[in-house]
Amino acid sequence: MNTLPAQSDALLDIRDLAISFKTDEGKVRAVDGVSISVKPGQIIGVVGESGSGKSVTMQSILRILPGNAIVERGEILLRQSRNGSDAEVVDVTQINPNSKRMRSIRGGEVAMIFQEPTASFSPVYTIGNQMMEAILLHRDVNKPEARTIAIDMLARVGISNPERRIDQYPFEFSGGMRQRAMIALALSCNPSLLIADEPTTALDVTIQAQVLELMKDLQRDLGMAILFITHNLGVIAQIAEEIVVMYLGTIVEKGPTREIFHNPKHPYTVNLLKAIPKVGQSRTRLAAIEGNVPSPLERPTGCIFHTRCSQRTHGTCDVYAPKLTQIGPDHTTSCFLYE
Amino acid sequence: MVKFLLQRVLGLAVTMFFVSIMVFAIMELPPGDYAERYAFRKFSGTGVTLSEADIQSIRVDLGLDKPPWERYISWIGGIITRFDFGPAFAFETSVNKVIGQRIWLTLAILFSTLILTYLIAIPIGIYAAIRRHSIADYSLTVFSYLGLALPNFLLALVLLYISVTAFGSSVGGLFSPEYANAPWSFAKAVDLLQHLIVPTIVLAWSATALQIQTVRATMLDEINKLSVAAARARGVPETRLLLKYPARLAINPVVSTIGFDINRIFSELPIVALVLGLPELGELLIKSFLDLDMFVAGAILLILTFMIVFMNFLSDIVLAMLDPRVRLQGG
């Protein structure tokens, strides 16, 4: 059912995705026309403020959106490699979220780690119980084998004495350890894609660096692709090869990390980069983007960023929506300055 | 876990010690004592004039002349060593005999009510939370609130009427007439159970309303936890997910209020028992206080508080088994 021939080498191909939420005040558009393509083994960073739709986009890949969310249009094409050779592409939006097929994708092919490592584990079951739950669901192994896999994975993410720690409860782990355990859990079923939803935001800066280093190492060893969501550009610079900048549910700029940092085009990206505080530049006010993110209930007409853009032109930006424009080989932006 | 258990057992003993002192103090509180009441009852209207000395001799006969601490020690000593709750003056027999049958009936109603409450409230609370804002959720809530809103005596009367007219059972009491004096048999036990159905339903109905809302609210909190989303994101099937993660925590508040529930059911019991003609302890407690029959009142209070304290002790242990945070961090 719903299988399509493999058209490209992309592992995940989100095409023109639009998602709305039904609320008491009416329908709210959270994601509007997002397209992201992830190749196997690629690390892509998704940057945006709160409300930019980055988390909603990620949740839609696993179909774990809240009940009042509707996928209005678009497709999420996932290439499933069944035993390596014959790849099969499925449109995730066409699969019943409660079906067995969807459940086999969740955790099995696409795994997810969350912002709060403490809240991601249930406090009443051991780390091992929750890890083995995933392993037993997705891999054809018995309990002792699952336990061995879990212990190996814990050792791999740098948890010392894993034979003992596997039987401990989450509250007996430190915050950084919990996120390591969460990564171990997510990777224990060999997913081809890992979605990391702000995995370092809740951690201390030193622990953040360790976890990022660990994720890079694991990516190199295991070869899975990573979609790394963050609002922290400093974090993304360390890990991602490609960056997608989102604003109010749409992608405003997309390109290789180097390009985005050294040659940003969209006024939003430019301002976002200016807002990063720099060491040694004391006694200057931190640059902030003027205004606030508009309410999704009142999405601006024309270019969605025009209400806060210093380079807007009247009659154009507030009336027409800019089209995605090619800047460099892989670098695109949607802004009238470049059309 | 052993240390935890020892702590709780010790706590139970200490609590019961203080409870016994308080119960004894309450027994002493009403003005006058049973000696005066006895003299009044026996000789009023007979024209006999009693002197203070006569009352004092009655007091000596009943053992009420000794100082309070001595009477406390002999009272509590009798309970601990011989399980003897002392004399029941008004009945001119021992407390054990007076309370004997009633206590089993009271305990039977208390526990069957508790079990029925939990059997109904926990699954419905969980279901209502999962189907939040659905017609099923609202109708279950309204139906359960009916039990809380309607007075118990009215419910008891209505259910009694239904059971008599529709099912042909006998009116009230513990046994049907044909079994009342019959020796114990299987049929008699079934007859007893049939008579316990109405009071159990009446009492459980009002108790479920509260517990359904408690379970539903906790369940709603738990369903929205990130750990549940994380489990869903690793492919756990929905039913198993709901039972393993949120439902398990949703019963914690129910478990921790078992003692509270017992107390509430016991307080509501007398009215229901009065309507249904059941001989239970609550009504006897009120009567014995009016009669200054202190040992009967004391025994009932002590047994009830022991039940509550003991159920709290049990709920602590069950909670520790359910939640490792309680167990490992010493609660």
Side-chain angles (χ1 to χ4, degrees), chain B residues 53-70:
Chain B
D54 293 327
I55 295 179
Q56 187 60 32
S57 77
I58 297 172
R59 217 166 256 148
V60 173
D61 283 350
L62 297 175
L64 295 174
D65 58 323
K66 297 193 190 90
W69 63 269
E70 225 172 275

Side-chain angles (χ1 to χ4, degrees), chain B residues 156-172 194 197-198 276:
Chain B
L157 281 174
V158 170
L159 286 179
L160 191 64
Y161 177 77
I162 294 174
S163 78
V164 170
T165 52
F167 302 105
S169 62
S170 65
V171 180
Q194 279 174 348
I197 289 174
V198 170
L276 298 175

Side-chain angles (χ1 to χ4, degrees), chain A residues 116-291:
Chain A
E116 298 277 347
T118 310
S120 310
F121 281 107
S122 164
V124 294
Y125 297 97
T126 59
I127 296 278
N129 176 308
Q130 296 177 64
M131 285 187 78
M132 283 160 66
E133 177 181 61
I135 298 168
L136 289 167
L137 274 170
H138 298 292
R139 296 176 70 164
D140 192 17
V141 292
N142 60 26
K143 265 194 171 175
E145 287 166 345
R147 192 180 161 86
T148 315
I149 294 172
I151 290 173
D152 286 351
M153 243 4 260
L154 284 176
R156 192 152 196 177
V157 297
I159 288 174
S160 56
N161 209 347
E163 296 86 359
R164 199 172 62 80
R165 304 225 82 176
I166 190 170
D167 293 319
Q168 289 189 331
Y169 289 92
F171 56 83
E172 296 174 272
F173 277 50
S174 69
M177 282 298 162
R178 261 176 237 146
Q179 195 58 293
R180 282 171 189 267
M182 200 69 216
I183 293 171
L185 191 162
L187 298 181
S188 59
C189 301
N190 297 328
S192 48
L193 173 65
L194 176 69
I195 300 172
D197 192 350
E198 308 214 21
T200 58
T201 308
L203 304 174
D204 292 344
V205 182
T206 47
I207 309 288
Q208 251 181 36
Q210 290 173 12
V211 169
L212 283 178
E213 209 49 50
L214 171 72
M215 288 183 70
K216 268 201 281 193
D217 286 353
L218 288 168
Q219 194 281 329
R220 210 175 38 232
D221 295 351
L222 303 171
M224 75 284 180
I226 301 180
L227 263 171
F228 197 103
I229 308 166
T230 183
H231 59 256
N232 186 334
L233 281 162
V235 165
I236 213 108
Q238 290 179 51
I239 190 161
E241 299 156 36
E242 214 181 290
I243 293 179
V244 173
V245 183
M246 286 184 73
Y247 182 79
L248 218 62
T250 57
I251 294 174
V252 292
E253 188 163 4
K254 188 155 62 173
T257 306
R258 257 180 171 285
E259 276 281 297
I260 297 286
F261 273 85
H262 294 115
N263 190 17
K265 294 295 179 196
H266 197 281
Y268 178 65
T269 318
V270 173
N271 279 304
L272 215 53
L273 286 165
K274 269 195 202 149
I276 303 177
K278 288 185 185 70
V279 179
Q281 241 182 34
S282 56
R283 290 169 197 277
T284 50
R285 275 185 73 89
L286 208 53
I289 304 176
E290 70 173 279

Side-chain angles (χ1 to χ4, degrees), chain B residues 34-44 50 54-55 58:
Chain B
Y34 193 72
E36 289 169 7
R37 179 57 60 104
Y38 180 79
F40 175 75
R41 192 178 262 180
K42 199 125 196 179
F43 302 108
S44 78
L50 285 175
D54 293 327
I55 295 179
I58 297 172

Side-chain angles (χ1 to χ4, degrees), chain A residues 62-64 98 103-104 106-108 110-112 114-117 119-125 129-131 133-134 137-138 169 171-172 182 185, chain B residues 222 225-241 243-249 252 321-329:
Chain A
L62 288 177
R63 302 295 306 275
I64 52 171
N98 295 318
R103 289 202 301 271
S104 78
R106 288 182 198 143
V110 181
M112 189 160 180
F114 298 87
Q115 186 171 351
E116 298 277 347
S120 310
F121 281 107
S122 164
V124 294
Y125 297 97
N129 176 308
Q130 296 177 64
M131 285 187 78
E133 177 181 61
L137 274 170
H138 298 292
Y169 289 92
F171 56 83
E172 296 174 272
M182 200 69 216
L185 191 162
Chain B
E222 292 295 330
K225 289 250 167 93
L226 187 58
S227 56
V228 176
R232 188 174 290 129
R234 61 177 173 262
V236 182
E238 200 63 18
T239 312
R240 191 166 126 198
L241 175 88
L243 291 179
K244 182 174 174 183
Y245 296 100
R248 171 162 163 173
L249 285 157
N252 278 8
M321 291 194 305
L322 282 175
D323 194 334
R325 285 169 298 182
V326 178
R327 183 165 69 236
L328 296 171
Q329 293 175 333

Side-chain angles (χ1 to χ4, degrees), chain B residues 238-313:
Chain B
E238 200 63 18
T239 312
R240 191 166 126 198
L241 175 88
L242 290 172
L243 291 179
K244 182 174 174 183
Y245 296 100
R248 171 162 163 173
L249 285 157
I251 59 177
N252 278 8
V254 176
V255 171
S256 55
T257 52
I258 290 179
F260 173 79
D261 277 338
I262 291 224
N263 188 24
R264 214 165 38 82
I265 295 169
F266 185 82
S267 320
E268 290 179 5
L269 186 53
I271 292 180
V272 177
L274 189 71
V275 171
L276 298 175
L278 297 173
E280 52 80 53
L281 286 180
E283 179 223 347
L284 184 63
L285 175 65
I286 297 168
K287 219 165 77 186
S288 55
F289 261 120
L290 292 176
D291 274 351
L292 292 180
D293 202 352
M294 52 183 279
F295 286 117
V296 175
I300 296 173
L301 281 181
L302 201 63
I303 290 169
L304 177 66
T305 42
F306 177 75
M307 284 308 307
I308 294 170
V309 174
F310 184 73
M311 290 314 281
N312 278 337
F313 165 77

